[in-house]
Amino acid sequence: MSTTTHHRPSPLAPWRSTFESHISSLPSPEFVFATLAPSTTSPHPSGTEPPTPYVPRLRYCIYRGMWSQLPENKHNTAPQNPRVYDSDMPTFTTDVRMQKVGELFASSAGKAAKDEQVQGSGGGGPCEAAFWVKEKGTQWRIKGTAFVVGPDIEGGEESSGVRTVKSEVGGRMRVVEGGEGKERDWSWGRELTAHFGNCSPGMRGSWKNPPPGRPVRGEPDQDHQLAQKVMDLEDPIARSNFRVVIIKPDEVEQTDISDPATARRWKYTFVADAQDGKGEWTKEELWP
């Protein structure tokens, strides 16, 4: 796990077990993911100058487990990392050609806006994820920053984006019991490939679709067709477009309205120690 920032790990988040229990009850773990897009790239329909520098953008995504704790899948033939780390950072997969990736770079501290600047790992823009668990009468909102993991995460000269991901994400990863001394056996690149392997062949094929959001003008080339199935875990086109996004939470809200007489909201806030990077979660009970 080279160049990862090694902070003293934070304890398991107090909201984690309830959150995962609720998500496991969903038929499909879908959530709404919000980002900020520069208003200069999203002109107002009226043609007037946007009143704010950023505008919100929403879409549905599929929760893929916590980073470094990939859900087991008997159909996944990709090499797996040993169980060395745990974290409280939700993940999902996406296509680098999707607008959300560029938005996470453009709204980050680095404000990368050019297409060539968002092809690798990096990002760090603000985000929010919202889950509605109907069976539990509970809404979950996860607010924080999101980082993109791409094929450059390992194996070559580290870019500033790679260093940012390994520092920001690595600082929230903790060694599990029995994992001490095995940190060097854990690989960022292997974890990325394992996420790709955890997707179905049809889902992997979506990373060979025609460019998302582009106008339909004629037939796409043979390499970029709809409804492909990818079996090769190293398919060059699919892997070049495949990304894992990691949400680093700063605040989590759990709103339980299952019983109107006892409805409550709980706000969990991560308070980081500026000295050593260690932090802890605080909990506050609120009216819903």
Side-chain angles (χ1 to χ4, degrees), residues 46-66:
S46 67
T48 59
E49 185 175 337
T52 60
Y54 292 95
V55 291
R57 289 291 178 262
L58 304 172
R59 74 286 288 165
Y60 278 96
C61 297
I62 302 293
Y63 170 68
R64 301 290 184 184
M66 295 293 177

Side-chain angles (χ1 to χ4, degrees), residues 218-240:
E219 289 297 315
D221 63 62
Q222 290 190 347
D223 289 330
H224 297 88
Q225 298 282 331
L226 296 172
Q228 297 188 65
K229 293 186 185 302
V230 170
M231 306 304 296
D232 182 4
L233 296 178
E234 299 297 339
D235 183 283
I237 297 175
R239 287 302 303 270
S240 69

Side-chain angles (χ1 to χ4, degrees), residues 35 41 57 59 95-104 212:
T35 54
T41 63
R57 289 291 178 262
R59 74 286 288 165
D95 191 312
V96 70
R97 300 170 295 172
M98 295 286 190
Q99 291 180 331
K100 69 174 84 64
V101 173
E103 290 160 6
L104 291 173

Side-chain angles (χ1 to χ4, degrees), residues 2-18:
S2 59
T3 73
T4 300
T5 298
H6 292 279
H7 297 316
R8 285 191 296 137
S10 303
L12 183 75
W15 49 268
R16 167 83 174 271
S17 60
T18 304

Side-chain angles (χ1 to χ4, degrees), residues 43 154 160:
E154 210 167 62
S160 60

